[in-house]
Amino acid sequence: MTSTPRRRAHSLLAVVVPALVAGLLIVAASFVPAQQPTARVVDAGPTVQTRACAFTGAPGALVASGAEVETTLLDGQVIDDPSVNGAVTGSVVLRAAGEQPLTAGVRSQSSAGLMWAECRPPATTGSLLLPDPATAEVVLVNPDRTDAGVNITLSGATGQIQSPGLRGIVVPAGSMVRVPISVHAPAGAPVTATYQASQGRVQAAVRSLTTAPEQAVATAPKRVAVFAAVPTRPTGARLLLHNPGGERAEVTIELLGPRGRFAPANGTASLAPHTTVAIDLGAAFTERDMGLVVTGSSEVLSMLTTQGANDIAWMLPDEAATDLMDAVPEGTLQVVNPSPDEASVTMVQVHPDGTADAPQTLTIPAGASGQFPVVAGQVRITSTAPIAAAVRVAGTGQAVSRVRPPAGVVVPQPGTMDPQLAQ
């Protein structure tokens, strides 16, 4: 039978219309946005602060500022009550949750002398001042769970000392490594040891090898450095200085005390770039309750060393500030006022159980010092003018514990997970 034109048109429409409708549906669908996965907020977890004490002295007791502080030896063994005398027998790691700054130190008393060892956060770089490579060594503590690699460079009286043997030092996770410096630098003169971690991080200290125990942590360069306290009437004193910059540094030394601010003999020094020197202050500290100010034309590193009848002390400076907070041992808290204005100083003692004594207030004239008795715990100091503070540690021998400005705590912030990363 022959098709008519009308029948052929109906057949064509039967094929074309469904195809056209399907095409339109596809085009329309392309204009509908696809449903996107919802972004998720990821909890960063609690703030955990870590401090390490490169402690190598006689058994001692820990003083810490945080209420919930876990203290372990490097092998992970927990010390139940580290505040008991003799409880700390080696390097320790402290961890505390929360945003309150964690400060701590270890007080050690033996027949050989008295020592205070600061606990500090591990870092990737820092500098240590050694009074004499023949009688001091570098100690590196790795509190983390991964190995650390460290390179050390030395600087002496004439500049950098070539010491290829101090590169690529491996500090295994949860361990301490002692690094002798005597084979790399001449005896009798101070050197600066600057460390840089190629991987991981460490807490570093310089340790005395003499019978008198002493150690000091890494320090940072400052243009104005204040030593708030020294042992009472030491028989000798030396100021170690290092110029880390590329230009000559001119340094002025001044004493603070009951009769104000004045210059001692040997009160100036000129440091060539990258050199380390010692300034003999002799018997400059003949009076009680004295401090020291070091002012440079550029930033310099400094450490004060003193000798007594049977002990030594190494002291690090800090910058003057109007707000100080630190863990301290029992002793005499000395506050010095290096500013040109009178300072009204308020001190609050916080005990290990969290209770606080009533505030004590003292007015300190410009260039002078004032004292408060303190027990082991934490002190908080506020002042109307920039001041510095340190504790002459109670005991038999010489030791000083500085009181530093409160360090900022890095608080983890919640993050947002990009949903596209999971596709």
Side-chain angles (χ1 to χ4, degrees):
M1 186 173 57
T2 305
S3 312
T4 66
R6 183 185 299 271
R7 185 173 299 165
R8 285 198 299 270
H10 284 173
S11 300
L12 182 61
L13 288 174
V15 174
V16 171
V17 170
L20 181 61
V21 170
L24 291 174
L25 289 175
I26 292 174
V27 171
S30 65
F31 288 97
V32 178
Q35 184 175 2
Q36 298 294 325
T38 303
R40 292 191 296 121
V41 175
V42 180
D43 185 5
T47 302
V48 178
Q49 303 174 66
T50 300
R51 302 289 183 271
C53 302
F55 178 70
T56 57
L62 179 77
V63 181
S65 64
E68 299 294 332
V69 179
E70 181 188 63
T71 305
T72 65
L73 296 173
L74 291 178
D75 62 5
Q77 178 183 343
V78 176
I79 304 176
D80 293 329
D81 189 357
S83 64
V84 174
N85 284 329
V88 179
T89 57
S91 295
V92 291
V93 179
L94 287 70
R95 292 183 174 88
E99 299 176 19
Q100 177 186 354
L102 172 59
T103 59
V106 178
R107 178 192 180 276
S108 174
Q109 174 75 75
S110 68
S111 58
L114 183 65
M115 186 175 76
W116 172 259
E118 281 186 18
C119 303
R120 300 290 294 159
T124 57
T125 187
S127 295
L128 302 160
L129 285 162
L130 285 73
D132 186 344
T135 58
E137 67 179 1
V138 172
V139 178
L140 303 174
V141 169
N142 179 2
D144 295 331
R145 295 182 175 88
T146 57
D147 294 352
V150 177
N151 300 318
I152 296 177
T153 57
L154 302 179
S155 297
T158 59
Q160 187 169 334
I161 300 171
Q162 297 301 318
S163 49
L166 294 177
R167 300 188 62 82
I169 301 169
V170 177
V171 187
S175 67
M176 180 183 75
V177 171
R178 296 164 59 175
V179 184
I181 303 300
S182 58
V183 296
H184 302 280
V191 297
T192 301
T194 299
Y195 71 90
Q196 179 74 48
S198 56
Q199 66 178 47
R201 55 183 189 164
V202 296
Q203 199 267 321
V206 53
R207 168 181 178 265
S208 170
L209 296 175
T210 66
T211 55
E214 191 53 278
Q215 67 182 68
V217 295
T219 185
K222 297 175 175 61
R223 189 177 178 277
V224 179
V226 185
F227 296 85
V230 298
T232 301
R233 295 192 178 97
T235 57
R238 290 198 312 161
L239 179 66
L240 310 185
L241 298 169
H242 171 67
N243 177 11
E247 303 290 335
R248 181 171 289 274
E250 306 299 332
V251 176
T252 301
I253 304 164
E254 296 174 285
L255 298 178
L256 304 173
R259 59 189 177 100
R261 188 168 181 159
F262 62 98
N266 298 337
T268 60
S270 182
L271 281 71
H274 310 297
T275 59
T276 304
V277 301
I279 307 300
D280 186 0
L281 296 178
F285 301 100
T286 55
E287 301 178 14
R288 293 180 58 88
D289 308 331
M290 299 184 72
L292 183 75
V293 179
V294 177
T295 305
S297 59
S298 58
E299 291 187 335
V300 296
L301 293 164
S302 58
M303 183 170 81
L304 182 64
T305 70
T306 60
Q307 300 82 44
N310 300 301
D311 199 7
I312 60 174
W314 297 345
M315 288 143 283
L316 296 175
D318 236 313
E319 296 172 339
T322 57
D323 188 12
L324 306 175
M325 183 177 66
D326 217 329
V328 297
E330 180 182 359
T332 300
L333 171 66
Q334 177 161 298
V335 181
V336 295
N337 178 12
S339 72
D341 302 314
E342 181 181 83
S344 177
V345 178
T346 301
M347 188 275 293
V348 175
Q349 170 90 62
V350 181
H351 298 276
D353 62 1
T355 60
D357 292 344
Q360 301 180 55
T361 302
L362 192 65
T363 299
I364 304 176
S369 62
Q371 294 76 36
F372 300 93
V374 292
V375 298
Q378 185 188 64
V379 294
R380 181 71 181 259
I381 306 170
T382 56
S383 173
T384 57
I387 47 92
V391 173
R392 285 194 295 271
V393 184
T396 303
Q398 301 186 61
V400 171
S401 166
R402 59 179 174 167
V403 181
R404 297 158 293 178
V409 177
V410 178
V411 180
Q413 299 296 320
T416 303
M417 177 176 285
D418 186 347
Q420 302 297 329
L421 296 178
Q423 296 183 356

